[in-house]
Amino acid sequence: QVQLVESGGGLVVAGGSLRLSCVASGLTFSSYAMGWFRQGPGKEREFVGTIAWSGGNTWLADSVKGRFTISRDNAKNTVYLQMNSLKPEDTAVYYCAAGTTPRRTRYEYDYWGQGTQVTVSS
C-alpha cells in the first residue's frame, strides 16, 4: 500500500528554523508531484507548497514565500520542507501529499501523510 511518513516537527522559538521530511513508499515516487499543506486549530487545511516530478519547478503560498523552501530527492523517495524565520502563525499540523500534477488545491492529491505538529512560540 501507499504510505507517506513525515518527520521533523517540533517546538521552536519565533525566528528559528525547522526541516520537515516525508518519505514515500508503495508508489513510483518520480511519477508524482508532491505537496505540503497545513492546518491550524479551528482552520481549514491550506496550501503551503508543491514541487514537480523531478524537482525542477516549485510553487509556494504567498504567506511562506521567501521563508520556506520545498525540495525533493527522488533517489530517497523523500520530499522536504525547509522552514526559516518561523512565526507563531506558522503553528499547525503539516501534511505531505502525492498527486498526479503539482496543484495548489488539496483535491488534486491522492495520498496523504499522517501529519506532523509544528509549534512556534514567541
Side-chain angles (χ1 to χ4, degrees):
Q1 73 279 12
V2 174
Q3 190 172 24
L4 306 179
V5 181
E6 303 172 12
S7 62
L11 175 64
V12 297
V13 177
S17 298
L18 207 59
R19 190 193 195 197
L20 305 183
S21 299
C22 175
V23 180
S25 61
L27 52 74
T28 303
F29 186 73
S30 61
S31 297
Y32 284 84
M34 300 297 296
W36 285 98
F37 292 78
R38 67 186 183 185
Q39 187 168 8
K43 297 182 178 181
E44 294 291 326
R45 184 166 37 180
E46 67 175 353
F47 170 77
V48 176
T50 187
I51 185 168
W53 308 268
S54 62
N57 294 294
T58 62
W59 295 265
L60 293 167
D62 290 340
S63 59
V64 305
K65 195 175 298 180
R67 300 187 298 120
F68 291 12
T69 303
I70 187 170
S71 62
R72 67 190 294 164
D73 186 341
N74 286 354
K76 297 181 178 180
N77 285 10
T78 303
V79 62
Y80 305 95
L81 184 67
Q82 178 66 48
M83 305 183 292
N84 299 324
S85 301
L86 283 163
K87 306 174 181 179
E89 49 262 46
D90 294 319
T91 296
V93 177
Y94 284 71
Y95 300 89
C96 68
T100 57
T101 187
R103 294 279 188 164
R104 291 174 169 83
T105 173
R106 61 183 179 271
Y107 303 109
E108 301 294 332
Y109 293 85
D110 302 310
Y111 307 105
W112 294 85
Q114 78 286 354
T116 185
Q117 177 71 49
V118 172
T119 303
V120 184
S121 65
S122 58

